[in-house]
CSV table of all heavy atoms in Angstrom, one decimal:
chain,number,residue,atom,x,y,z
I,25,THR,N,123.8,97.0,205.7
I,25,THR,CA,123.6,95.8,205.0
I,25,THR,C,123.2,96.0,203.6
I,25,THR,O,123.6,95.3,202.7
I,25,THR,CB,122.5,95.0,205.7
I,25,THR,OG1,122.9,94.8,207.1
I,25,THR,CG2,122.3,93.7,205.1
I,55,GLN,N,121.9,90.4,212.0
I,55,GLN,CA,121.2,91.6,212.4
I,55,GLN,C,120.2,91.4,213.5
I,55,GLN,O,120.2,92.1,214.5
I,55,GLN,CB,120.7,92.3,211.1
I,55,GLN,CG,120.3,93.8,211.3
I,55,GLN,CD,121.6,94.6,211.1
I,55,GLN,OE1,122.4,94.8,212.0
I,55,GLN,NE2,121.8,95.2,210.0
I,84,LEU,N,137.2,94.2,210.3
I,84,LEU,CA,136.7,93.2,209.4
I,84,LEU,C,136.3,93.7,208.0
I,84,LEU,O,136.7,93.1,207.0
I,84,LEU,CB,135.4,92.6,210.0
I,84,LEU,CG,135.6,91.7,211.3
I,84,LEU,CD1,134.3,91.4,211.9
I,84,LEU,CD2,136.5,90.5,211.0
I,104,ARG,N,142.5,86.9,190.5
I,104,ARG,CA,141.6,85.9,191.1
I,104,ARG,C,140.4,86.7,191.7
I,104,ARG,O,140.5,87.4,192.6
I,104,ARG,CB,142.2,85.1,192.2
I,104,ARG,CG,143.4,84.2,191.8
I,104,ARG,CD,143.8,83.4,193.0
I,104,ARG,NE,143.6,84.2,194.2
I,104,ARG,CZ,144.6,84.6,195.0
I,104,ARG,NH1,145.9,84.3,194.7
I,104,ARG,NH2,144.4,85.2,196.1
I,116,THR,N,131.8,87.5,207.7
I,116,THR,CA,132.6,88.6,208.0
I,116,THR,C,131.8,90.0,207.8
I,116,THR,O,131.8,90.8,208.7
I,116,THR,CB,133.9,88.6,207.2
I,116,THR,OG1,134.7,87.5,207.5
I,116,THR,CG2,134.8,89.9,207.5
I,126,LEU,N,123.7,95.2,217.9
I,126,LEU,CA,124.1,94.8,219.2
I,126,LEU,C,123.8,96.0,220.2
I,126,LEU,O,123.3,95.8,221.3
I,126,LEU,CB,125.5,94.4,219.3
I,126,LEU,CG,126.1,93.7,220.5
I,126,LEU,CD1,125.4,92.3,220.7
I,126,LEU,CD2,127.6,93.6,220.5
Side-chain angles (χ1 to χ4, degrees):
T25 302
Q55 199 79 278
L84 292 173
R104 287 186 332 246
T116 299
L126 192 66

